[in-house]
């Protein structure tokens, strides 16, 4: 059970709720704050105070004041006209993550929303009703208006939702799950949609998956290093401590753990004085990605626990302020960086794959890792598959946060495009799974050629064993697409990581 | 010296080169003179009769609905030039500015712009006496044409701004006085006619294409040397293969290689060796260099069309009082082909860098010493030249990102889609500088390799090039300060010596 207070929402907690279905509960203090704020708002409404988005139009129409009759209809039309997304549905975990993030915004008691709305979001999470949300349509400011509106449709019993694996009208899903429809009153609509919660939830999920991917990149690197008879001195902790980047220390130590217990680490295998950069600078490169992801995580967690809404109400000061806390840039900028870091580490992986394949570089391994050169081409074409995915990653690594296009008759004339960042980051990671899978496969193949010669590290041996559960040694050529696809799925599942960590301990602990 | 008689439709890259780079004087045809005068009469008639027409007696852009009274129409011309002379950065090169003046002059000759003959005469005099306006290179979004940079040219025409004359930067007025050119007072329509148009991006495009032509030819010559140096096979250049995939550039490239490597003993000696296939950077030269040639020729067609176009706005036509406002100033056609050229020319260096690597690495270079130096270890030889090439190639990849897909609305959204063609063209020049250096490095490596192989076996064309290079850059026996060698090699390419020495044996190579 995750208790929601407005603070302390970490990426791990979000994953538990969004991906693994953990239940949530509003802390009684949060309920109290939400109610206090709502009381202030209602007082102001009764006093006919003009408040943006409560009794005015929105965006360019913010100067249009609405009368009492119009206020309620306005909430409905606001949600209708903002439910303007397009395309394939977003994965359920993104939508669940966004709802959780929105609840945590409300929990601060600065949004002026009715408690019924927040409680409905809680119910939707706990009873597994997930709104149908189109993936595309948000420019990342004012928040994720279009996708959040598809969540808000449910507050009126409209739209569509998934329930027990089926897509159905939202009303039907809510009836089946016994969730009452709360309806939208003044302010409720905007308070449900005005925040960059979808892109933030997606970013949180990405960072979780990317961290696990980076750990697997270290395992694959360690396997390749052992297969290539690397000089292991560059992984000495001291070397990285004197430079002082945390990520590099962590990465060097991870690799040390994985190879420990093997002949190479113990100095029983002859190696070169200096290896190529793709081997020797692995801790510096993967470490840089760890550091970048750590920064991105800190920004995303600030956003997860902040009030990303507009306007914002301060009941203790009897005041409301209209600003731009929905602007997605604080998340978009570090996430652009996080995305291209995954590309960078993928490039490093491909270079090691090249060294395993190329007999001029592989210290005695057979060319393209096959014994039957000429008749067989071994893993020659696997490199092509890795390469085209990397080129696609490079294209996807152009930052989205510099791509603003003015919207809303130039009232919203700078937007974050953080949703584009979030979407393309998952595309980068999807390719990264494919690329790393190929390195794992090549490294396992190379290690099989070495296994009579020397003993591998404990982590390396375990990783190879897991790979061999799914992909056999390539003795004679066979269609490789199945192996590539199988390996990609294996990397996505994280099984190699989990198995290795049970033997060598958590990789991020150093 | 003879002069080149312009008629508004007879410019091409060759005549551009003669006038802009070789400083051939220009004149205009009698027919053009008549057309300019006839068109101006229509404009004067409109003014006399107080007919309201955009650009003649109205404000500009978003202010096009503001009517300007008769007494203010001359003042309006002064103001438009002053207000549009924005822009920042270092000045354009002399050749780009000469090209801008030439293209602007040529665009007036079809008689649709409504300027007086004095305006054309002023440009003719500035070109022939080499008065070079100081024009900052940044500030155009490439629609409505190159407003800001062209305004700087207009400033000098009207005795303001700054200009280079006899190599010195002085005030525009002083430059015009020293050159003996009378200062122009602009009348109605003339300010707009001068500063509205794509002449800046088109001039840069033309200069870049002239440079590209030399690079494309040089890449073939240097590639042929590398093929010898690496004992590559000439079979992939067999005519039959190209005919089966008849892209013109591919066929030309293969033909170039066959004549460059004619009678090469190195190539003949291993005709039947056991190496069946070379790496792509050798084997696919016809396909890659060929595609670059095809792109170049496409870009050339577009740019030559633009050189003979009228790209100001509005245009004055002779039946009745027709002044038609359109969008001929929009630089998209040039922007697209310049973006495409960025990609194509970058590829010449991408593949060249691979051949450099191939020559340096003992795993691939077929018996040459590592990094092309004896006493490797004490000497590092050409190790770092590949690093330089890699840095340049990487920079090009960033520069090859298309400019034309960007657009930022300007002028209160009246000009809400612009071409960005001027910086598309500018970055081609940057890319070309990098490519020239990469090819210069390949040339040094190939020559060094051939010295190790014993150059007597080279084809007559390669031998000629090799000797010519060696009169500028000596064989590198021991490590030395290598930077001057790269500069000398680049200069050897840039000034055409490389192409000249090869073509003295092969006859004209194809582009």
């Amino acid at each position: 059970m995750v208790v929601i207070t407005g603070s302390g929402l970490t990426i791990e907690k979000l994953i538990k709720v969004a991906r693994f279905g953990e239940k949530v509960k509003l802390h009684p203090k949060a309920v109290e704050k939400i109610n206090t704020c709502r009381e202030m708002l209602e007082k102001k409404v009764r006093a006919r105070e003009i408040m943006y988005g409560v009794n005015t139009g929105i965006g360019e129409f913010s100067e249009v004041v609405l009368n009492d009759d119009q206020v309620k209809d306005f909430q409905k039309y606001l949600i209708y006209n903002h439910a303007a997304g397009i395309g394939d549905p977003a994965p359920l975990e993104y939508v669940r993550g966004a709802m959780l993030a929105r609840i945590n915004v409300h929990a601060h008691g600065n949004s002026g929303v009715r408690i019924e709305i927040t409680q409905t979001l809680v119910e939707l999470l706990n009873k597994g009703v997930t709104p149908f949300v189109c993936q595309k349509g948000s420019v990342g400011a004012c928040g994720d208006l279009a996708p959040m509106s598809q969540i808000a449709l449910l507050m009126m019993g409209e739209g569509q939702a998934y329930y027990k694996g089926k897509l159905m009208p939202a009303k039907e899903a809510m009836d089946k799950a016994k969730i009452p429809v709360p309806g939208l009153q003044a302010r409720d609509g905007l308070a449900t949609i005005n925040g960059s919660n979808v892109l933030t939830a997606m970013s949180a999920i990405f960072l979780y998956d990317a961290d696990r991917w980076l750990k697997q990149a270290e395992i694959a690197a360690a396997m390749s290093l052992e297969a290539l008879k690397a000089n292991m001195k560059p992984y000495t902790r001291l070397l990285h401590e004197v430079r002082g980047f945390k990520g590099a220390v962590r990465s060097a130590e991870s690799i040390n753990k994985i190879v420990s217990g093997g002949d190479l680490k113990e100095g029983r295998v002859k190696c070169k004085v200096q290896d190529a950069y793709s081997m020797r600078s692995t801790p510096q490169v993967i470490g840089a990605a760890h550091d970048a992801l750590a920064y991105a995580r800190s920004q995303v967690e600030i956003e997860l626990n902040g009030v990303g809404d507009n306007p914002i109400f301060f009941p203790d000061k009897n005041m409301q302020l209209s600003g731009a806390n929905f602007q997605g840039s604080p998340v978009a900028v570090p996430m652009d960086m996080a995305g291209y870091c995954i590309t960078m580490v993928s490039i490093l992986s491909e270079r090691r794959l090249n060294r395993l394949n190329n007999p001029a570089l592989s210290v005695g391994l057979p060319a393209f890792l096959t014994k039957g050169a000429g008749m067989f081409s071994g893993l020659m074409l696997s490199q092509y598959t890795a390469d085209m995915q990397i080129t696609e990653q490079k294209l996807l690594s152009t930052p989205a946060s510099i791509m603003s296009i003015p919207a809303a008759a130039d009232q919203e004339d700078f937007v974050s495009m953080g949703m584009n960042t979030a979407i393309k980051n998952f595309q980068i990671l999807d390719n990264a799974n494919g690329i790393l899978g190929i390195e794992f496969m090549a490294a396992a193949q190379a290690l099989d050629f070495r296994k009579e010669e020397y003993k591998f590290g404990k982590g390396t041996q375990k990783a190879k064993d897991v790979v061999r559960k799914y992909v056999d040694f390539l003795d004679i050529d066979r269609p490789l697409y199945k192996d590539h696809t199988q390996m990609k799925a294996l990397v996505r599942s994280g099984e190699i990581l989990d198995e290795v960590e049970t033997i060598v301990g958590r990789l991020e602990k150093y | 010296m003879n002069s080149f008689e312009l008629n508004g439709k007879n410019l091409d890259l060759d005549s551009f080169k003669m006038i802009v780079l070789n400083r051939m004087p220009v004149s205009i045809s009698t027919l053009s003179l008549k057309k300019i005068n006839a068109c101006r009469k229509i404009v004067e008639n409109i003014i006399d009769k107080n007919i309201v027409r955009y650009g003649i007696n109205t404000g500009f852009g978003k202010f096009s609905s503001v009517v300007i009274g008769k007494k203010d129409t001359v003042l309006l011309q002064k103001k438009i030039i002053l207000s549009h002379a924005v822009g920042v950065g270092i000045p354009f090169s002399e050749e780009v500015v000469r090209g801008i003046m030439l293209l602007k002059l040529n665009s007036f000759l079809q008689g649709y712009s409504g300027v007086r003959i004095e305006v054309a005469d002023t440009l003719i005099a500035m070109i022939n006496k080499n008065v070079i306006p100081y024009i900052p290179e940044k500030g155009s979004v490439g629609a409505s044409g190159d407003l800001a940079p062209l305004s700087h040219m207009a400033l000098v025409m009207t005795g303001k701004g700054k200009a280079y004359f006899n190599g010195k930067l002085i005030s525009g007025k002083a430059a015009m006085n020293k050159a003996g050119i009378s200062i122009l007072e602009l009348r109605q329509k003339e300010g707009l006619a001068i500063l509205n148009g794509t002449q800046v991006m088109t001039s840069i495009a033309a200069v870049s294409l002239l440079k590209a032509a030399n690079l494309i030819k040089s890449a073939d010559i240097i590639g042929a040397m590398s093929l010898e140096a690496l004992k590559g096979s000439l079979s992939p250049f067999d005519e039959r293969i190209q005919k089966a995939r008849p892209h013109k550039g591919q066929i030309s490239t293969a033909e170039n290689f066959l004549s460059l490597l004619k009678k090469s003993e190195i190539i003949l000696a291993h005709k039947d060796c056991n190496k069946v296939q070379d790496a792509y950077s050798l084997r696919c030269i016809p396909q890659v260099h060929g595609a670059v040639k095809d792109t170049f020729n496409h870009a050339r067609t577009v740019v030559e069309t633009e050189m003979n176009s009228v790209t100001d706005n509005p245009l004055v036509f002779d039946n009745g009082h027709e002044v038609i406002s359109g969008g001929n100033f929009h630089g998209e056609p040039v922007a697209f082909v310049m973006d495409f050229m960025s990609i194509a020319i970058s590829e010449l260096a991408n593949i060249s860098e691979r051949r450099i690597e191939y020559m340096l690495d003992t795993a691939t270079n077929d018996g040459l010493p590592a990094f092309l130096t004896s006493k490797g270890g004490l000497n590092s030889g050409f190790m770092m030249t590949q690093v330089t090439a890699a840095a340049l190639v990487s920079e090009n990849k960033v520069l090859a990102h298309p400019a034309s897909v960007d657009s930022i609305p300007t002028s209160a959204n009246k000009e809400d889609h612009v071409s960005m063609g001027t910086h598309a063209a500018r970055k081609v020049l940057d890319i070309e500088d990098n490519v020239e250096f990469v090819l210069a490095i390949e040339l040094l490596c190939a020559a060094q390799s051939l010295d190790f192989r014993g150059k007597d076996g080279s084809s007559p064309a390669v031998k000629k090039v090799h000797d010519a290079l060696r009169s500028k850059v000596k064989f590198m026996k021991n490590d030395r300060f290598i930077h001057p060698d790269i500069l000398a090699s680049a200069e050897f390419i840039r000034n055409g010596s490389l192409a000249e020495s090869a073509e003295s044996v092969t006859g004209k190579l194809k582009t």
Side-chain angles (χ1 to χ4, degrees), chain A residues 360 384 398 406 410, chain B residues 280 363 401 409 413:
Chain A
Y384 292 39
T398 301
D410 273 352
Chain B
Y280 289 179
H401 186 95
N413 267 330

Side-chain angles (χ1 to χ4, degrees), chain B residues 110-170:
Chain B
Q110 293 190 43
Y112 298 126
S113 301
V115 299
R116 287 168 304 148
I117 192 68
E118 286 84 344
V119 176
D121 285 341
T122 304
L123 283 171
I124 294 172
M126 287 169 77
I127 295 167
N128 290 347
K129 294 180 178 167
N130 211 35
V131 173
I132 306 296
Y134 175 95
I135 306 181
E137 65 171 0
K138 298 184 183 179
S140 169
V141 292
S144 317
D146 294 309
L147 296 168
L150 286 170
S151 295
H152 285 266
M153 180 183 78
L155 282 177
V156 176
M157 296 170 78
T158 54
K160 300 190 191 74
K162 292 189 283 183
Y164 293 92
F165 186 65
N166 288 335
K168 269 204 212 131
L169 183 61
I170 50 182

Side-chain angles (χ1 to χ4, degrees), chain B residues 33-47 56 74 77 111-119 186-191 193 316:
Chain B
L33 177 75
K34 281 186 192 156
K35 284 182 179 170
I36 289 177
N37 285 334
C39 183
R40 181 64 195 177
K41 251 190 202 145
I42 301 170
V43 173
E44 310 241 318
N45 202 8
I46 289 171
I47 300 158
I56 296 176
V74 172
Q77 302 305 316
Y112 298 126
S113 301
V115 299
R116 287 168 304 148
I117 192 68
E118 286 84 344
V119 176
L186 296 178
R187 303 270 177 83
Q188 300 86 347
K189 174 79 170 69
E190 291 177 344
V316 182

Side-chain angles (χ1 to χ4, degrees), chain A residues 1-2 9-24 93 96-97 100 125 205 208:
Chain A
M1 174 79 75
V2 172
L9 181 56
T10 59
I11 285 176
E12 281 70 22
K13 284 186 192 167
L14 184 138
I15 288 287
K16 277 187 192 163
V17 175
R19 180 171 290 172
F20 299 113
E22 180 134 337
K23 299 247 186 321
V24 302
E93 62 181 19
R96 288 179 57 82
L100 174 65
L125 281 179
I205 294 168
Y208 179 83

Side-chain angles (χ1 to χ4, degrees), chain A residues 121-138:
Chain A
L121 289 170
V122 170
E123 292 275 279
L124 292 172
L125 281 179
N126 287 346
K127 295 186 172 159
V129 176
T130 309
F132 170 87
V133 173
C134 295
Q135 179 70 74
K136 295 185 183 179
S138 168

